[in-house]
Amino acid sequence: MTVIVPARNEARLLPSTLPALLRQDYPGCLRIVVVDDSSTDGTADVARGLGARADAGDVNVVTAPPLPHGWAGKVWAMHTGATSNLAQECDYILLTDADIAHPPDLLRRLVGMAEHRDLDLASVMAHLRAVTPFERLLVPAFVYFFGLLNPFRWSNDPNRGTAAAAGGCVLVRRRMLERIGGLDSIRGQIIDDCALAARIKQAGGRTWLGLGHDVRSERGYAGLSGVWHVVARTAYTQLAFSPLRLLGTVVALLLAFAAPPAAVVTGGASLVIGIDTGSAAAALATGVVGWALMTCSYLPMTRWYGGSLLRAVTLPLSAVIYVTMTLDSARRHYRGVGGGWKGRTYSP
């Protein structure tokens, strides 16, 4: 087993996450490869120091060569680790982010499930941090909307074309990775996790994606601006840079999530004022039913993140913010600044 950790300026988070990988109770050979992706904060030195203090001889720090044209930075860093000698003799490769903290039995459980179900890719969506008010408002909604776009059951069904993964924790069989042409086959993909799952499924492989409480992201989002940047850098990419898909998505989100509260407000106000009470009552009833249904569908996700019914009621507000972020993602794309991340800007 080889664990590949692409790391660009992650010196602050590695002390919280790398020791968790060093404590894995995986029964086989385990190699950890931290790929330093042009960091300027001493990431490589921090990784070496953590490995030395843990007396872990299998922690290896590799420096990624300069980023070639046409490659996304994270994919290039993962490719550097996956094509190194350290990953050539293993059956499985775990691709994980530097901000993800793993439970000590993660690798054993994932490999066991992959063997039992004959999976070529097994991925766990990490429990994202939701501490600040905006994180509590938007992070559960992010996972909820991701599940609407990529239903987990469909992704896990080999007879459906839907394919998805969560880049913070992706276990992949090395022979399947070789069959699809390695990470070279997704070299320019910003949403690399879903692209990798799609390539594997297209090649006849079996994939699985699930949610995890004990796989946790240590990265905070610094309020609204942090969440906004994360979403805006990939939202239009998810829509394949299509204006028609953008229009359809915006209209669908507004009709499904913003229209019911608007009907409640306008219908209720019309009833109070006494204007066209029949139509107002119908609008109010329709809005209440629609709002109640969306709240019920969202409630399991808010509870997953420790929220209450009151927080589930705020889904329309979250949806409107996500519509705005999606529009901003398109704006950034047409201004040539789409896909920016950690000092890099990618163009399609």
Side-chain angles (χ1 to χ4, degrees):
M1 162 72 71
T2 300
V3 178
I4 298 175
V5 185
R8 179 174 170 85
N9 294 331
E10 299 287 8
R12 182 179 63 86
L13 290 177
L14 279 177
S16 299
T17 58
L18 189 55
L21 287 172
L22 299 174
R23 291 192 294 266
Q24 291 294 308
D25 64 358
Y26 185 68
C29 176
L30 176 61
R31 294 174 177 172
I32 299 173
V33 181
V34 178
V35 183
D36 179 27
D37 182 18
S38 303
S39 300
T40 57
D41 66 346
T43 288
D45 293 334
V46 169
R48 292 189 187 98
L50 290 168
R53 285 198 295 274
D55 193 26
D58 283 330
V59 175
N60 303 270
V61 179
V62 176
T63 300
L67 181 65
H69 177 72
W71 284 79
K74 179 185 173 183
V75 182
W76 174 244
M78 294 189 299
H79 171 78
T80 299
T83 55
S84 68
N85 293 333
L86 301 167
Q88 296 306 305
E89 299 178 358
C90 60
D91 294 328
Y92 290 96
I93 294 175
L94 180 75
L95 305 171
T96 183
D97 291 342
D99 65 323
I100 302 297
H102 301 284
D105 62 343
L106 172 82
L107 293 180
R108 178 166 47 82
R109 284 191 287 131
L110 270 184
V111 171
M113 183 174 64
E115 290 289 320
H116 179 69
R117 301 187 184 184
D118 193 27
L119 299 173
D120 296 290
L121 180 148
S123 179
V124 178
M125 177 167 280
H127 195 274
L128 305 177
R129 202 185 86 155
V131 177
T132 67
F134 275 111
E135 288 174 349
R136 289 195 293 267
L137 174 68
L138 296 174
V139 167
F142 172 82
V143 182
Y144 175 80
F145 289 132
F146 180 91
L148 290 182
L149 288 171
N150 307 281
F152 284 30
R153 287 186 179 181
W154 292 10
S155 180
N156 298 345
D157 186 344
N159 297 316
R160 289 184 178 269
T162 303
C169 179
V170 180
L171 180 77
V172 60
R173 287 186 190 266
R174 184 173 61 86
R175 67 171 182 264
M176 174 56 73
L177 191 61
E178 293 173 348
R179 184 189 303 176
I180 66 172
L183 293 166
D184 192 313
S185 63
I186 60 166
R187 63 171 64 186
Q189 297 292 332
I190 298 175
I191 310 177
D192 52 89
D193 42 15
C194 293
L196 178 60
R199 289 284 297 162
I200 288 177
K201 214 167 187 182
Q202 290 164 4
R206 298 175 64 93
T207 67
W208 179 89
L209 171 64
L211 287 171
H213 257 312
D214 51 2
V215 178
R216 305 184 68 87
S217 172
E218 299 292 332
R219 191 182 305 281
Y221 297 98
L224 176 60
S225 62
V227 180
W228 192 293
H229 182 59
V230 170
V231 175
R233 77 185 182 94
T234 59
Y236 200 42
T237 306
Q238 185 77 50
L239 300 175
F241 309 106
S242 167
L244 288 177
R245 289 189 181 185
L246 174 66
L247 177 62
T249 299
V250 169
V251 171
L253 284 173
L254 291 178
L255 286 177
F257 300 106
V264 169
V265 172
T266 56
S270 298
L271 277 178
V272 171
I273 298 172
I275 301 176
D276 194 3
T277 55
S279 298
L284 176 61
T286 302
V288 168
V289 171
W291 201 343
L293 289 174
M294 80 169 79
T295 299
C296 289
S297 73
Y298 186 43
L299 186 58
M301 186 57 64
T302 59
R303 285 181 172 171
W304 181 261
Y305 274 88
S308 62
L309 175 63
L310 180 62
R311 191 173 301 168
V313 173
T314 64
L315 180 58
L317 175 59
S318 301
V320 170
I321 295 175
Y322 273 98
V323 166
T324 309
M325 289 190 286
T326 302
L327 291 171
D328 185 50
S329 179
R331 179 192 65 85
R332 294 185 185 197
H333 166 74
Y334 290 114
R335 291 188 61 186
V337 294
W341 186 247
K342 293 192 175 183
R344 290 178 174 138
T345 300
Y346 303 106
S347 299

